[in-house]
Amino acid sequence: WEQVESLYPRPGWVELDPEVLWSQFVGVIKETVQAAGVHMRQIAALGISTQRATFITWHKRTGKPFHNFISWQDLRSAELVNSWNKSLLLKVIRVIFTVLHFLTRSDRYLAPSFLTFSTQHTSLKLSWVFKNIPEAEEAAKRNNCCFGTVDTWLLYRLTKGSVYATDYSNASATGVFDPFTKCWNPALCRLLSIPTSIYPPVKDTSFNFGSSDSEIFGVPVPIMAMVADQQGAMFGECCFHPGDVKVTMGTGGFWNVNTGEHLFASWRDLYPLIGWKIGEEVVYLTEGCMTDIGTAIKWAQDINLFANVDETEQMARSIADSQGVCFLPGFQVSVNALNSCASFVGLKPSTTRSHLVRAILESVAFRNKRLYDIIVKKIRIPLQTIRADGGVSNNSFVMQMTSDLINKKIEKPANADMSSLGAAFLAGLASGFWADKEQLKMLRRVEAVFEPQKAWEEYRPAMDTWLQAMKHSLHW
């Protein structure tokens, strides 16, 4: 389904057509099974891994959507987000929870003490839906409105509407689910005028969700797992122990730390998630994210800085440094930096395409270093293994430079698409195909290991220049 083309009906709006997504999802499953030379009746279980925080609402009785999927990248709520973040009410809420945290020292009160809304979370985009789509608002009043992220919609369609649910990993990534109470957040919903009747039941990540309708694949197929993409990648990398770290570098970048049974409260650059729930086991993660990783590289290809992504590593290594050229990410505008923009600085008459490409790749490594330092400072758990995946992890220049900067060994698996593998592992556990996670560890295949080769101080002048340029870009 990741092949579904995004729609841009208005500036800043990013949508997906639910019917196109559905047809491509079914088509990919059929093609994959056929390519594997097996029959659908031989499939023991289906696991679904999907993009997070992209959502849709639909009529409970008719199943008709009220709108297209609204992507996590969508900015239609930017004005609402900005207004709320500057509001007196939010300031009062922060003060109240600051006092509660001071009195109780409970992490549950720490996150609301500096609550800041983001365009990437579902909450204010969902509030926008009920302010701007009368059909959805009316249906909600009559308890006829369903809300779902991509996993919920696919499950609903696979079962012809007989199963309506999500899992803990997807729910926790919406911004309207409280990982401390493991429930949809009623206080936040009241604050934003979102009806609480719209939310699906939340089930375990590895769980028997029922079977697909036999008309879809010819036979019923058990649906035994649903997991959000980053949590799925974490599971696929076998990051099962506290301190294990997963770094995904795809369209965006995500650092996830397994914090075990301990749920760390949100900080300004990090936020807690439920990694997965399997029976009584609940594993928590702390996540930090970056925008414009693969997006920037794809843009550079589109403007002919290079013909093939495989060329970028050689181009970056063909020169000693970027000659002071810095790439500043900013294609995906942040609500905390609405005036930022993507740009190059430090251009000279001697600047070549190789310098520009190297500057883009260096910016990925520099942001990895910055996020790693925040994690080390904020997370009170010794970091253990660091494993990377995603398309950009195939670039050894980025991987080696990141290893140098953080002074840590980084493993890269043979398969860069860990989200789908994680969904398969979870489905296999639920169906009994694998007995336990120890068997999954035996299936891991490491393609490359990157170990520090240079002291990070050697990069300090270039990184200091980049950080200075980043500060200027925020005020464009």
Side-chain angles (χ1 to χ4, degrees):
W1 70 271
E2 289 191 51
Q3 302 171 25
V4 177
E5 185 175 350
S6 295
L7 307 174
Y8 306 95
R10 297 186 190 181
W13 290 28
V14 186
E15 300 180 350
L16 300 174
D17 186 312
E19 293 304 321
V20 172
L21 186 151
W22 165 249
S23 63
Q24 291 198 13
F25 171 78
V26 172
V28 165
I29 292 175
K30 291 180 177 178
E31 290 170 11
T32 302
V33 171
Q34 184 178 13
V38 298
H39 192 275
M40 288 302 303
R41 71 171 68 92
Q42 297 174 267
I43 304 301
L46 171 65
I48 301 173
S49 173
T50 55
Q51 186 184 90
R52 306 175 304 180
T54 294
F55 74 93
I56 194 170
T57 63
W58 67 92
H59 196 283
K60 182 182 293 185
R61 184 169 48 82
T62 66
K64 182 180 178 181
F66 295 118
H67 52 84
N68 284 337
F69 272 101
I70 298 177
S71 170
W72 67 274
Q73 298 170 303
D74 189 281
L75 297 175
R76 73 186 66 195
S77 64
E79 287 186 15
L80 270 176
V81 169
N82 205 27
S83 175
W84 267 105
N85 287 341
K86 292 180 178 178
S87 69
L88 177 61
L89 178 56
L90 195 60
K91 291 176 182 176
V92 171
I93 290 171
R94 289 171 184 156
V95 170
I96 291 171
F97 280 99
T98 298
V99 173
L100 286 172
H101 178 252
F102 176 78
L103 294 174
T104 66
R105 291 300 169 187
S106 170
D107 273 3
R108 184 179 177 186
Y109 300 125
L110 182 59
S113 70
F114 52 85
L115 174 63
T116 302
F117 289 107
S118 166
T119 57
Q120 292 186 12
H121 286 157
T122 304
S123 50
L124 282 175
K125 281 181 282 196
L126 193 50
S127 179
W128 181 95
V129 165
F130 291 110
K131 291 178 185 295
N132 292 274
I133 302 178
E135 297 86 354
E137 182 186 24
E138 184 61 29
K141 289 178 180 178
R142 298 176 181 273
N143 198 26
N144 271 329
C145 181
C146 293
F147 159 87
T149 42
V150 178
D151 62 304
T152 304
W153 171 254
L154 293 177
L155 177 66
Y156 184 84
R157 292 294 298 267
L158 281 168
T159 60
K160 294 285 183 76
S162 66
V163 182
Y164 176 51
T166 187
D167 94 292
Y168 284 92
S169 69
N170 279 289
S172 72
T174 61
V176 286
F177 187 86
D178 187 342
F180 285 93
T181 61
K182 301 184 189 67
C183 295
W184 299 106
N185 192 326
L188 182 63
C189 290
R190 284 194 296 271
L191 185 69
L192 301 179
S193 301
I194 301 171
T196 55
S197 62
I198 67 172
Y199 297 110
V202 184
K203 306 294 184 183
D204 285 6
T205 309
S206 185
F207 179 78
N208 187 347
F209 288 92
S211 296
S212 65
D213 189 276
S214 58
E215 290 185 4
I216 298 173
F217 300 118
V219 294
V221 178
I223 304 163
M224 303 300 283
M226 295 203 303
V227 63
D229 55 2
Q230 297 308 318
Q231 291 96 314
M234 191 83 171
F235 203 88
E237 289 271 32
C238 296
C239 292
F240 300 142
H241 307 290
D244 284 349
V245 181
K246 183 274 302 173
V247 185
T248 294
M249 290 179 284
T251 304
F254 297 87
W255 282 68
N256 295 90
V257 183
N258 184 325
T259 59
E261 298 178 353
H262 188 81
L263 178 59
F264 283 91
S266 296
W267 292 86
R268 286 177 177 81
D269 300 286
L270 305 173
Y271 44 89
L273 294 169
I274 296 177
W276 51 84
K277 183 176 183 298
I278 305 174
E280 295 301 313
E281 178 194 42
V282 181
V283 172
Y284 295 102
L285 311 179
T286 292
E287 180 174 279
C289 72
M290 308 173 289
T291 61
D292 296 346
I293 304 297
T295 306
I297 295 172
K298 178 66 167 59
W299 167 80
Q301 184 177 16
D302 290 343
I303 64 168
N304 298 318
L305 286 185
F306 52 86
N308 190 298
V309 174
D310 295 338
E311 299 174 27
T312 59
E313 178 188 336
Q314 183 178 352
M315 292 174 73
R317 294 188 187 282
S318 69
I319 50 179
D321 53 50
S322 64
Q323 279 193 349
V325 176
C326 298
F327 174 73
L328 313 176
F331 293 118
Q332 178 65 39
V333 178
S334 165
V335 71
N336 298 319
L338 290 173
N339 295 320
S340 67
C341 65
S343 57
F344 285 103
V345 299
L347 300 178
K348 307 170 184 65
S350 58
T351 299
T352 66
R353 289 187 304 151
S354 293
H355 292 110
L356 299 179
V357 168
R358 180 169 176 130
I360 292 173
L361 300 186
E362 285 182 344
S363 77
V364 177
F366 289 150
R367 282 182 287 161
N368 280 335
K369 163 67 174 173
R370 189 167 63 171
L371 198 47
Y372 172 83
D373 287 347
I374 293 170
I375 289 169
V376 169
K377 181 179 179 181
K378 300 294 186 184
I379 303 301
R380 301 181 295 275
I381 292 178
L383 301 186
Q384 306 298 329
T385 60
I386 301 179
R387 294 164 181 167
D389 61 79
V392 182
S393 70
N394 291 319
N395 189 297
S396 63
F397 177 85
V398 171
M399 293 293 292
Q400 185 59 57
M401 186 172 176
T402 299
S403 175
D404 291 343
L405 286 168
I406 68 174
N407 194 34
K408 289 285 185 179
K409 179 176 73 173
I410 306 175
E411 296 179 0
K412 179 192 170 300
N415 176 13
D417 185 4
M418 286 288 109
S419 297
S420 57
L421 183 61
F425 280 172
L426 287 158
L429 287 174
S431 65
F433 190 84
W434 291 296
D436 53 38
K437 286 183 282 190
E438 291 303 314
Q439 289 187 339
L440 303 182
K441 292 179 184 178
M442 295 171 62
L443 300 173
R444 286 195 68 242
R445 296 292 180 268
V446 177
E447 182 179 88
V449 177
F450 296 86
E451 299 195 45
Q453 295 180 358
K454 294 169 62 176
W456 98 262
E457 285 79 5
E458 295 185 41
Y459 297 97
R460 188 189 290 274
M463 188 164 180
D464 286 346
T465 300
W466 179 80
L467 288 170
Q468 189 67 27
M470 284 291 290
K471 290 180 183 178
H472 287 300
S473 76
L474 297 177
H475 308 290
W476 175 253

